[in-house]
Amino acid sequence: MHRQRTKLAKRANRVASAVERRGIVATYELHERLLGNRRSRRRFAAETPELDETQRRLVEALDHDGYVTLPFTELLDEELWQRVERQGAEFVVQTERTLAEGGQGKVRAGKEFVVRRWSFEGATLGADDAWFTACTSRRLLDVANAYLRLWAKLSYVDLWYTAQQPESDERVASQNWHVDFDDKHLLKAFVYLSDVGPESGPFEYVPGSQAGGNRVVRPWVPMGYGRVDDDEVTARAGSDAVATFTGPKGTLILCNTSGLHRGGFATAGPRVLATATYCSPASLKALSNRNYESARETTDPVVRFAVS
Ligand SMILES: O=C(O)CCC(=O)C(=O)O
């Protein structure tokens, strides 16, 4: 009797999850085709940003490969870089102190190897926050909007300290190949705040594997399929297909993570970076949450849209 009830409960749960999933997928499609994204595409088309040569080059590379990389100071100025670098150094001191005292810092369940500056604790960020200033600059935002062909939302802003771990550990969570399932109109920015070599958990990507790209391994679907095995990536994309982003401190990577990516398996020392996510208004995340409150005072409608 008890076993029968357990079986029934499991079945009911499965049905409920399938219904919920269908609801989420339908909501995404509705916002993608009719609601939020249509409005945001119209706004973009009415006021297409004027890009300079560097920005145009970035958008072209993103269109073709789904990623591009360059020194931070080729897009944004040296003074801002120095502020971001200082912010990173302070975060490292604070994090290493916490870890030395036996604390864990701000981590998310299942991804304890990444200590976050803000995580999802509702930070209030303004002009005094260097990385937030970079993320809300028109230089970067215009690239995101021009690539996504709409006014994007800035849904996540953070600093990450990826802790060193033994080589014998198994890769877990985002250390494995996966695609982000909450939106196909995605642009993530990563700025290395430590030198990143092959053993420091470099970010990796399969160029062209982004939604609509020329090397799609599996078509993108909202709520997706999580992890993809190494064998499938090699078999379908080819063993030479992977771009591994080693690079010095100050390297900026822009990437559409609706494509296959992984990173953060740092065995030679910690990896420190600043990260941000630009997405469309239809993103399952933008519809539900953002990890900060903006205290940035601006009358610029493009920036206001991104942070609201
Ligand atoms: O830590 C990394 O390099 C991977 C990050 C990642 O998977 C993501 O931001 O979606």
Side-chain angles (χ1 to χ4, degrees):
M1 180 67 183
H2 171 70
R3 222 178 15 234
Q4 205 173 1
R5 237 188 282 143
T6 314
K7 252 176 150 177
L8 266 175
K10 274 194 184 150
R11 187 140 178 258
N13 266 343
R14 266 205 308 275
V15 172
S17 310
V19 169
E20 188 183 30
R21 192 185 168 94
R22 270 209 294 276
I24 293 171
V25 171
T27 306
Y28 179 82
E29 296 297 350
L30 185 68
H31 281 269
E32 153 66 350
R33 290 183 201 170
L34 292 174
L35 304 177
N37 283 6
R38 193 150 79 165
R39 279 197 294 272
S40 136
R41 284 192 181 102
R42 270 204 218 117
R43 286 170 133 158
F44 173 77
E47 229 179 290
T48 311
E50 269 193 33
L51 305 184
D52 69 12
E53 184 140 349
T54 304
Q55 292 172 305
R56 271 202 302 277
R57 176 170 63 78
L58 300 185
V59 175
E60 269 169 34
L62 286 165
D63 281 342
H64 191 260
D65 300 318
Y67 80 90
V68 68
T69 175
L70 77 167
F72 180 97
T73 48
E74 263 183 42
L75 184 65
L76 294 154
D77 64 62
E78 176 65 34
E79 193 196 327
L80 186 54
W81 162 242
Q82 284 176 15
R83 285 181 56 207
V84 173
E85 193 181 20
R86 264 201 307 280
Q87 187 179 17
E90 281 162 21
F91 170 57
V92 169
V93 170
Q94 193 182 49
T95 304
E96 291 186 341
R97 190 184 307 130
T98 304
L99 297 179
E101 287 166 356
Q104 218 184 2
K106 288 178 189 161
V107 293
R108 293 177 71 188
K111 267 190 86 164
E112 285 81 2
F113 58 94
V114 181
V115 182
R116 296 157 199 255
R117 174 68 185 90
W118 306 117
S119 196
F120 284 86
E121 296 193 357
T124 300
L125 305 178
D128 57 339
D129 187 282
W131 176 231
F132 184 63
T133 302
C135 298
T136 51
S137 68
R138 285 296 296 265
R139 295 278 300 151
L140 192 47
L141 194 50
D142 283 350
V143 170
N145 289 355
Y147 169 58
L148 300 174
R149 272 79 173 174
L150 43 69
W151 278 13
K153 295 285 184 189
L154 174 64
S155 63
Y156 181 74
V157 179
D158 220 339
L159 305 181
W160 289 355
Y161 178 102
T162 305
Q164 182 176 1
Q165 61 186 109
E167 255 174 76
S168 55
D169 277 3
E170 291 253 334
R171 284 176 178 261
V172 295
S174 54
Q175 295 171 335
N176 290 305
W177 290 111
H178 66 285
V179 301
D180 289 345
F181 58 79
D182 40 305
D183 200 3
K184 58 183 163 185
H185 307 289
L186 269 184
L187 188 69
K188 283 195 177 172
F190 301 99
V191 179
Y192 286 159
L193 300 174
S194 59
D195 294 336
V196 176
E199 316 299 327
S200 345
F203 179 71
E204 295 189 285
Y205 188 65
V206 177
S209 64
Q210 73 280 8
N214 56 17
R215 205 192 300 232
V216 172
V217 169
R218 285 197 211 170
W220 186 90
V221 280
M223 290 294 284
Y225 35 80
R227 181 183 166 172
V228 180
D229 284 342
D230 292 9
D231 291 349
E232 183 176 340
V233 175
T234 312
R236 299 220 196 169
S239 55
D240 59 341
V242 174
T244 298
F245 301 95
T246 53
K249 199 193 226 196
T251 300
L252 167 63
I253 303 159
L254 298 174
C255 183
N256 181 338
T257 51
S258 71
L260 278 166
H261 62 288
R262 68 176 182 179
F265 190 64
T267 56
R271 182 195 67 172
V272 188
L273 56 76
T275 183
T277 305
Y278 301 93
C279 59
S280 77
S283 162
L284 301 174
K285 288 235 172 83
L287 287 173
S288 56
N289 62 3
R290 175 168 289 103
N291 84 320
Y292 65 91
E293 281 286 323
S294 174
R296 200 182 147 176
E297 283 169 23
T298 175
T299 54
D300 184 332
V302 178
V303 178
R304 285 167 76 128
F305 185 85
V307 300
S308 62

